[in-house]
Amino acid sequence: MGESAIIGDDSAKHFGTVDYLVFTLMLAVSAGIGIFYGCFGNRQTTKDFLMGGRNMGIVPVTLSLLATFFSAIALLSVPAEIYLNGTIYIMIAPAHFAVMGVSAYLYLPVFYNLQLTSTYEYLELRFSKPVRILASFVFTVQMVLYQSVVIYAPALALSQVTGLHLYGCVTALFAIVIFYTALGGIKSVMWTDVVQIIVMFGAMIVVLVKGGIDLGGFGNIWNIAVDGGHVKYFDFDPDPRTRQTTWTLWIGAFFMWLAIYGVNQAQVQRYLTLPTIRQAKMAIWLNGLGRFVLLILNVLTGLVLYAKYSKCDPLMSKRIRTTDQILPIFVMDSLGDFKGFPGLFVAGIFSGALSTVSSGLNSLASITLEDYVKYFYPDISDHRATNISKFSSVMYGLLSFGLVFIAERLGGIFDVSFSIFGMVGGTLLGVFSLGMFVPWCNSKGAFWGTLTSLVFMLWLGIGTSMAKSGIRPASKLTLSVEGCSNFTAPRSNFLNQAGQSDEISEFYKISYYWYALIGCCLNMMVGTVVSFLTGKQDPRDLNPQLISPPCDQFVNKFVPLHIRQKICWDLGVHIDGDNSKNQKYAGNHELGAINGKS
């Protein structure tokens, strides 16, 4: 049984020349890829800029999928989450694999068979233009907010370990990501993702190896974690106010990540760059495997942090401002004397942020062109459409840059990012699910279901944020400062005492892990009820490609014929994705006449 390493609170070390060179090299590689595809590649068409010509390889797509929402959230906040609350977070793994299966077999076939550029084209084909505009606007707000949060995290980390001004770091990061995204399009985004995910893996492995050596091996680290009650896998508390339980990680997190992998524009757009649906499904499953490996690395990193700082918590001893800074502090304490390693680590953090923001900017450019510009200018030339897409990338980047100054006041990036995806992602998952699995839903039902769900979830999410403003999240574990050599404050468990205020309404204590499930179910319930009250959609008037194929197959196989006739379930024949990859149903105006808009 080992003891946690005892540290002092000496001033933090900062970057050296070699660190700056390593970090700058990573930025130069990202910029260089953008310059190559923007200036020296083949002439860019809109299809090339947004969809990579639909002929990308499975390796870059898989790694890009992995990098897009891995980001600085995973590199910084997940290890900090393990440090604060133990290993229960690893129970999210089953949800991840379930999400991959549902995304690949229930949602992907619809988007792939229609060969869409914007996922929101589907909502116009299935429902109406107002539903499409509403949903794409909601997605735009979601991504702009998320990008500002995901940029703030690495900028804060870089400021911590380099001594550079925080806003200078933010500016540098946005400048480089806007440059290569606007110049090179999705090909530059995806190939920089490949480089960046390799850097992220490298940074985490270096941190783990050095931490294991310094703390006496992983056997000793494990013993420290067990002795501190840090190893725990199951908590079946049914109370929805409990922030993190087995139920929230199995069920709540499933819906949250399904909203990302199933219907999110940034992910679906990558699926559609592959030549066949079989390759797209394979990319999704490989991405799931990669996410599991990264989860294990994150959990191990969190245990290393606990072994190092459980007796001298950096937040309690005032060495850091937020728990998101604990991993950068560890890197400087453990690797500060090794030239180049801190630079590699910060490059890894920046890589996570760059990949997420570049993917977001490219997806926002896609929906701006497809959902707004082409609505007013349907005959726009390809050259002008490409330029508008590039201009959109720049504008969204600048908007996200401006919102960073709000993001820094929202609290820890782990809670904030999950809350954003829960509030908005669940609503969007609901409207797509209505379209693919409820053929009786009409456009009125979809519109009012989406609007009702959005308003309710914003009320819940924003109200919770305001109610908890200034209240420090509680840790379920014992953290102290008794091992700090130069700290004289009362040695009480400050983090454990700083729980939620009893004055907060019970409504605002609902765990944000449930947000996506609540938003999705509310949307589907309201949408279905409104549809039946206003004259439900006749499924026989729908193009079969608008309904999820497994859903149709299940009904045809297990529901008796007389019941199918009674509910008007006669959707025709689905076309296999591999054989229809060149048929762009979204561009067929005849669909508008047969999709049964109500």
Side-chain angles (χ1 to χ4, degrees):
M1 237 181 289
E3 295 294 331
S4 299
I6 297 180
I7 63 171
D9 61 346
D10 53 338
S11 59
K13 301 164 186 169
H14 294 308
F15 261 28
T17 302
V18 177
D19 298 312
Y20 281 110
L21 288 175
V22 171
F23 175 66
T24 303
L25 177 62
M26 188 276 296
L27 294 181
V29 169
S30 298
I33 293 174
I35 292 173
F36 173 79
Y37 281 107
C39 300
F40 303 105
N42 296 329
R43 186 183 72 85
Q44 279 189 330
T45 63
T46 305
K47 184 178 179 181
D48 290 327
F49 185 82
L50 298 178
M51 304 302 296
R54 300 188 190 270
N55 61 358
M56 295 294 294
I58 193 170
V59 172
V61 171
T62 299
L63 294 179
S64 182
L65 286 170
L66 187 60
T68 297
F69 287 103
F70 177 56
S71 76
I73 306 298
L75 275 171
L76 293 177
S77 294
V78 175
E81 171 69 19
I82 303 300
Y83 170 77
L84 286 176
N85 295 308
T87 57
I88 190 172
Y89 185 74
I90 199 172
M91 297 308 295
I92 202 172
H96 277 161
F97 283 108
V99 164
M100 300 308 152
V102 173
S103 299
Y105 296 101
L106 296 186
Y107 291 89
L108 171 64
V110 177
F111 294 121
Y112 199 93
N113 290 340
L114 295 173
Q115 287 289 281
L116 307 176
T117 298
S118 165
T119 57
Y120 303 102
E121 292 179 70
Y122 168 82
L123 296 179
E124 181 177 4
L125 296 173
R126 175 64 178 85
F127 298 118
S128 64
K129 187 70 175 182
V131 176
R132 174 181 180 177
I133 296 300
L134 175 61
S136 63
F137 174 76
V138 170
F139 170 77
T140 300
V141 173
Q142 176 193 31
M143 288 305 297
V144 169
L145 287 174
Y146 180 67
Q147 287 171 175
S148 63
V149 172
V150 87
I151 283 287
Y152 175 70
L156 185 64
L158 182 62
S159 175
Q160 178 73 29
V161 300
T162 64
L164 295 177
H165 193 277
L166 174 63
Y167 297 130
C169 299
V170 171
T171 303
L173 199 154
F174 263 111
I176 192 70
V177 73
I178 291 173
F179 172 76
Y180 78 75
T181 303
L183 190 62
I186 197 169
K187 285 186 177 180
S188 71
V189 169
M190 295 176 75
W191 281 110
T192 50
D193 283 350
V194 171
V195 174
Q196 289 158 2
I197 197 68
I198 293 172
V199 174
M200 284 186 269
F201 265 108
M204 293 186 70
I205 290 172
V206 168
V207 169
L208 279 174
V209 171
K210 186 61 167 61
I213 294 173
D214 290 348
L215 295 168
F218 281 95
N220 186 49
I221 292 170
W222 182 261
N223 289 334
I224 294 173
V226 171
D227 291 344
H230 212 73
V231 178
K232 184 178 182 181
Y233 302 115
F234 298 101
D235 180 357
F236 292 105
D237 183 356
D239 191 342
R241 298 169 300 177
T242 304
R243 175 177 169 273
Q244 199 172 83
T245 67
T246 305
W247 299 123
T248 63
L249 294 171
W250 279 356
I251 302 174
F254 168 80
F255 280 89
M256 183 183 67
W257 284 105
L258 182 60
I260 295 173
Y261 280 94
V263 301
N264 188 282
Q265 170 71 23
Q267 297 295 75
V268 174
Q269 189 172 342
R270 276 151 182 72
Y271 307 155
L272 302 184
T273 63
L274 287 162
T276 68
I277 193 172
R278 181 175 179 274
Q279 288 177 311
K281 291 177 179 177
M282 186 180 298
I284 292 175
W285 281 113
L286 291 174
N287 170 78
L289 180 61
R291 287 199 64 85
F292 179 72
V293 173
L294 290 172
L295 176 63
I296 297 299
L297 293 177
N298 275 322
V299 171
L300 292 176
T301 301
L303 294 179
V304 168
L305 294 178
Y306 181 77
K308 178 78 171 178
Y309 295 121
S310 62
K311 300 300 183 183
C312 186
D313 181 71
L315 189 62
M316 296 167 62
S317 60
K318 309 298 184 183
R319 292 188 66 196
I320 58 177
R321 290 191 297 166
T322 72
T323 54
D324 296 326
Q325 292 178 310
I326 190 170
L327 186 56
I329 278 292
F330 174 83
V331 169
M332 297 312 297
D333 286 342
S334 302
L335 295 164
D337 295 329
F338 291 80
K339 296 180 179 179
F341 283 125
L344 175 66
F345 169 74
V346 174
I349 296 175
F350 259 68
S351 294
L354 288 172
S355 63
T356 300
V357 175
S358 61
S359 300
L361 295 181
N362 192 262
S363 62
L364 289 171
S366 298
I367 67 171
T368 297
L369 177 65
E370 298 294 333
D371 298 346
Y372 301 106
V373 175
K374 287 189 176 180
Y375 177 72
F376 295 102
Y377 304 101
D379 298 323
I380 188 172
S381 68
D382 189 79
H383 176 71
R384 178 168 292 184
T386 302
N387 288 336
I388 289 176
S389 298
K390 293 182 177 182
F391 178 76
S392 299
S393 299
V394 175
M395 290 297 100
Y396 283 120
L398 294 176
L399 179 58
S400 297
F401 172 71
L403 290 176
V404 167
F405 303 99
I406 297 176
E408 69 173 325
R409 292 172 171 81
L410 295 179
I413 58 174
F414 186 89
D415 291 358
V416 172
S417 60
F418 276 37
S419 296
I420 291 174
F421 276 120
M423 283 188 295
V424 182
T427 296
L428 294 177
L429 177 63
V431 69
F432 280 103
S433 298
L434 275 173
M436 296 182 189
F437 306 114
V438 187
W440 306 278
C441 183
N442 62 25
S443 62
K444 294 184 179 68
F447 183 87
W448 288 108
T450 301
L451 188 61
T452 302
S453 174
L454 177 65
V455 171
F456 181 83
M457 295 313 300
L458 289 177
W459 172 31
L460 174 59
I462 295 175
T464 300
S465 179
M466 294 175 64
K468 295 181 179 180
S469 178
I471 298 177
R472 190 186 303 277
S475 170
K476 294 182 178 180
L477 305 170
T478 301
L479 300 170
S480 71
V481 291
E482 65 184 28
C484 298
S485 58
N486 299 315
F487 189 71
T488 57
R491 299 174 186 268
S492 60
N493 193 340
F494 179 74
L495 283 178
N496 291 23
Q497 292 178 343
Q500 293 182 349
S501 169
D502 292 334
E503 297 178 359
I504 298 177
S505 167
E506 297 302 314
F507 177 70
Y508 292 132
K509 291 182 181 179
I510 295 175
S511 172
Y512 53 77
Y513 280 99
W514 295 114
Y515 285 4
L517 173 60
I518 294 171
C520 178
C521 291
L522 181 61
N523 193 339
M524 296 189 71
M525 286 189 295
V526 173
T528 301
V529 170
V530 171
S531 295
F532 277 87
L533 291 177
T534 58
K536 67 180 185 296
Q537 170 72 54
D538 188 336
R540 293 170 296 187
D541 292 335
L542 291 173
N543 183 286
Q545 301 304 113
L546 299 172
I547 303 298
S548 176
C551 178
D552 184 26
Q553 293 162 6
F554 177 85
V555 172
N556 287 327
K557 184 174 182 179
F558 295 103
V559 177
L561 177 61
H562 69 279
I563 296 180
R564 295 204 306 270
Q565 291 175 338
K566 188 173 183 179
I567 63 177
C568 304
W569 192 288
D570 183 12
L571 303 179
V573 180
H574 284 82
I575 299 176
D576 179 71
D578 288 329
N579 295 329
S580 62
K581 63 186 178 184
N582 295 319
Q583 298 184 28
K584 185 174 173 59
Y585 288 96
N588 185 348
H589 297 294
E590 292 181 3
L591 260 181
I594 65 171
N595 67 358
K597 298 185 181 72
S598 300

